[in-house]
Amino acid sequence: MRLLVPGGSGLPALADLDDAGLFTAYAAPGGPWVRCNMITSLDGAATGPDGRSGSLNNEADHVVFEVLRALSQVIVVGAGTIRAEGYPPLSVAGSLLDLRRGLGLPEVLPLVAVSNRGAVPPTLSGCRDGRALMAVPASAPGLAQARRDLGDENVIVCGEDEVDVAALLSALHERGWDHVLTEGGPTLLAAFLSAGRMDELCFTIAPQVVGGKHPRPVALQGVPLDLQLELLAEQDDTLMGRWRVRR
């Protein structure tokens, strides 16, 4: 992978990035930090022709995808996206574990499913070891069942009628999870942006044109934001970038 725009990474432009170089390039600042990782086609589609973001993914995107996970303390994903993409409980790529340990991060990587209904995605059902959690509002019809399925300690109630993003982040920080990564989908990303609780957007631009009617990476509830390019890398005609939200 070739570094095109090094930003404040301290790495030279046009450097070839191995795993350690990517850890440096994508390092988050100290303290609480929230970022997303999304992929889009060149014409702005968040999903490929089959309606899944996975059909846009390629090897270059996968490398950065795994690095961003390995740099995070917790992953937050909408329950609908978890169902559509078939998310299981997560683990860090074995090749990145030593680099992750070097940052003092544990091997466990919790996944928080966000749902206003409280229905546990089938791929997470029965996971009670802390790797799978649910974030739901107090009025969620599936709240009691989620508690029975995942365990009381793994269900976070935040908000009354819908999940309150700010309250969710506060609950995660209370658990010691300051570096938060969300992988969407578009509705959840829009909620983070609208709440003013997103610090950085990591986007992959896949070398594809999809056409047709497909969701955009940010749903209609999103708000306009000014961004600053922090880093840009390229591999196999695919662009991977970091954009910081201007405050």
Side-chain angles (χ1 to χ4, degrees), residues 58-99:
N58 55 31
E59 181 57 32
D61 173 63
H62 182 72
V63 169
V64 172
F65 181 85
E66 293 292 348
V67 165
L68 286 171
R69 282 187 171 183
L71 285 167
S72 303
Q73 293 173 309
V74 62
I75 312 297
V76 179
V77 184
T81 296
I82 289 174
R83 292 188 188 92
E85 304 290 339
Y87 275 62
L90 303 181
S91 59
V92 177
S95 60
L96 302 176
L97 277 174
D98 284 344
L99 289 167

Side-chain angles (χ1 to χ4, degrees), residues 104-118:
L105 297 174
E107 292 188 15
V108 174
L109 183 59
L111 170 64
V112 179
V114 178
S115 172
N116 288 329
R117 295 186 298 114

Side-chain angles (χ1 to χ4, degrees), residues 141-225:
L143 173 57
Q145 179 58 39
R147 285 173 166 161
R148 287 192 294 268
D149 194 351
L150 300 179
D152 287 349
E153 69 279 9
N154 295 322
V155 177
I156 303 169
V157 177
C158 41
E160 290 299 322
D161 298 320
E162 61 182 24
V163 172
D164 183 317
V165 168
L168 169 58
L169 288 174
S170 294
L172 297 181
H173 295 333
E174 287 174 3
R175 293 177 181 233
W177 298 334
D178 285 339
H179 288 179
V180 179
L181 173 67
T182 178
E183 296 173 354
T187 300
L188 183 60
L189 178 52
F192 272 93
L193 296 174
S194 297
R197 301 308 299 266
M198 184 65 64
D199 299 303
E200 175 186 335
L201 287 79
C202 296
F203 264 63
T204 293
I205 303 173
Q208 296 184 43
V209 171
V210 176
K213 292 184 178 180
H214 294 272
R216 295 165 59 187
V218 180
L220 294 176
Q221 302 94 318
V223 298
L225 289 175

